[in-house]
């Protein structure tokens, strides 16, 4: 079992950043020509803006109950980062829509679904769902940051830049919603049940959205190309046994996200992306 690393005093910085996607700057299948993975990433991007808004609402609902000044500051950083994620992914989604991906439709459906959650689920369960989804995003994010194969998939496009930045910030604030949930007295039973519920809805939703997107792409009607691309998913770093095990670890009573040490990872990518000669230093405003 991993040793928990205390990151409770880690600052969470809101970066003023801007990405641009000039017309013609992205190939139709921008993930190194991979048909299926291009659609999967596009559909994940499509759910981010409304998903981030839902996360913010769920955490903000309890912000008045947080008296710990350190956690309160981290909540502010979490909200600032998520607002920026939503804004930047909306711009990417507009470009993907122009390229033929149904991001606008998925965005509308996500908004309806998240609003239903907010209206019909108890606030504490919404916060538990948020903490569970943050575990998913942080696990995928840290896979991208640690696995060269995952980075190579994205080539050198602006999509690579936005996903590396997003991944870094997801890793930075991965425990905030979880810690708020604990502070307001959320039970282990609800936390684990929320994860089981969201595992089904997240996987089914991602599958249906990807199939919908592929159905609109003429290249997907080439059975050989479709089969080869789908078969390659078995070797994807995002579905390895290690990743599945890390996702399942959340269901263990007493679990905390900081059992997976990311201190050096965050320091390294902060320097690589935003150091003096950082890859994205020029994107900061």
């Amino acid at each position: 079992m991993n040793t928990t690393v205390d990151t409770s005093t880690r600052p969470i910085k809101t970066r003023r950043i801007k990405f641009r996607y000039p017309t013609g700057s992205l190939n139709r299948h921008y993930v190194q020509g991979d048909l299926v993975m291009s659609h999967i990433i596009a559909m994940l991007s499509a759910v981010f803006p409304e998903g981030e808004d839902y996360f913010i609402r769920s955490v903000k609902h309890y912000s008045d109950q947080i008296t710990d000044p350190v956690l309160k500051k981290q909540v502010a950083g979490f909200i600032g980062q998520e607002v920026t994620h939503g804004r930047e992914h909306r711009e990417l989604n507009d470009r993907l829509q122009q390229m033929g991906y149904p991001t606008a439709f998925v965005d509308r459906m996500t908004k309806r679904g998240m609003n239903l959650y907010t209206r019909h689920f108890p606030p504490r369960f919404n916060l538990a769902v948020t903490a569970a989804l943050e575990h998913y995003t942080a696990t995928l994010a840290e896979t991208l940051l640690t696995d060269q194969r995952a980075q190579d998939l994205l080539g050198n496009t602006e999509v690579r830049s936005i996903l590396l930045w997003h991944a870094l910030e997801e890793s930075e604030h991965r425990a905030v919603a979880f810690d708020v949930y604990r502070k307001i007295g959320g039970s282990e039973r609800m936390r684990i049940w929320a994860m089981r519920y969201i595992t089904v809805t997240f996987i089914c939703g991602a599958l249906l959205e990807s199939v919908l997107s592929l159905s609109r792409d003429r290249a997907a009607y080439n059975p050989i190309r479709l089969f080869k691309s789908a078969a390659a998913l078995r070797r994807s770093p995002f579905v390895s046994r290690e990743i599945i095990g890390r996702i399942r670890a959340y269901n263990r009573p007493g679990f905390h996200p900081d059992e997976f040490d990311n201190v050096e990872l965050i320091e390294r990518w902060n320097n690589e992306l935003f150091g003096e000669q950082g890859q994205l230093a020029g994107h900061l405003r």
Side-chain angles (χ1 to χ4, degrees):
M1 187 174 71
N2 297 284
T3 301
T4 301
V5 177
D6 183 12
T7 60
S8 60
T9 60
R10 177 188 296 161
I12 296 174
K13 182 179 181 180
T14 302
R15 299 173 179 86
R16 294 172 58 82
I17 193 165
K18 188 70 175 174
F19 298 91
R20 292 178 176 82
Y21 311 93
T23 301
S25 63
L26 293 176
N27 294 325
R28 177 70 169 90
H29 303 116
Y30 55 93
V31 183
Q32 298 291 72
D34 190 304
L35 173 65
V36 173
M37 188 58 75
S38 294
H39 283 271
I40 290 174
I41 291 179
M43 293 302 94
L44 285 175
S45 181
V47 305
F48 279 140
E50 291 300 331
E52 309 286 21
D53 284 351
Y54 170 75
F55 295 168
I56 292 168
R57 290 196 304 270
S58 300
V59 171
K60 207 170 184 179
H61 181 87
Y62 289 101
S63 59
D64 290 344
Q65 297 184 30
I66 302 302
T67 56
D68 178 350
V70 174
L71 182 55
K72 203 171 188 69
K73 192 171 183 179
Q74 288 189 329
V75 166
F78 167 86
I79 291 172
Q81 287 188 344
E82 296 291 49
V83 166
T84 310
H85 294 173
R87 183 192 70 218
E88 292 305 310
H89 274 279
R90 283 199 185 282
E91 291 207 16
L92 171 58
N93 293 343
D94 288 345
R95 183 72 192 94
L96 292 171
Q97 179 73 31
Q98 294 168 14
M99 292 163 61
Y101 294 93
T103 53
F105 173 78
V106 172
D107 178 77
R108 291 194 300 272
M109 293 301 101
T110 304
K111 182 174 184 177
R112 290 180 186 177
M114 297 295 92
N115 286 342
L116 284 173
Y117 279 20
T118 301
R119 285 198 300 268
H120 299 295
F121 286 167
R124 187 166 296 189
F125 187 74
N126 281 312
L127 183 57
V129 167
T130 295
L133 284 169
E134 284 288 299
H135 181 64
Y136 263 102
T137 56
T139 300
L140 295 175
E142 290 174 9
T143 301
L144 176 60
L145 297 177
T146 56
D147 195 310
Q148 189 62 48
R149 294 174 302 160
Q151 295 162 36
D152 290 345
L153 278 174
L154 301 174
N156 294 307
T157 67
E158 194 79 330
V159 175
R160 180 183 191 273
S161 296
I162 190 175
L163 291 180
L164 285 174
W165 156 73
H166 192 163
L168 170 62
E169 295 197 342
E170 287 297 329
S171 186
E172 286 178 329
H173 70 231
R174 66 183 185 181
V176 173
F178 190 100
D179 288 340
V180 171
Y181 179 77
R182 276 192 168 179
K183 283 286 185 182
I184 59 97
S187 70
E188 288 287 87
R189 179 185 174 87
M190 179 179 284
R191 178 181 70 78
I192 293 169
W193 272 107
M195 181 51 142
R196 290 171 178 168
Y197 168 80
I198 213 62
T199 293
V200 174
T201 57
F202 178 77
I203 293 174
C204 290
L207 177 62
L208 289 173
E209 289 155 5
S210 298
V211 169
L212 166 67
S213 187
L214 282 161
S215 72
R216 295 164 53 106
D217 188 340
R218 293 177 65 181
Y221 291 88
N222 179 330
I224 296 176
R225 184 176 181 185
L226 179 62
F227 177 79
K228 285 183 176 180
S229 183
L233 288 175
R234 298 173 58 189
R235 301 186 299 276
S236 170
F238 295 105
V239 293
S240 68
R241 288 185 179 181
E242 181 182 356
I243 299 309
I244 293 170
R246 180 167 169 178
I247 293 293
R248 287 178 174 172
Y250 192 93
N251 293 328
R252 175 171 39 78
F255 170 83
H256 191 280
D258 287 340
E259 291 178 14
F260 296 94
D261 186 2
N262 67 351
V263 174
E264 291 184 6
L265 185 69
I266 287 176
E267 183 178 350
R268 175 165 69 87
W269 279 99
N270 252 313
N271 185 59
E272 289 196 25
L273 297 181
F274 300 109
E276 188 174 338
Q277 303 297 324
Q279 300 171 30
L280 302 183
H283 287 66
L284 292 172
R285 296 189 293 173

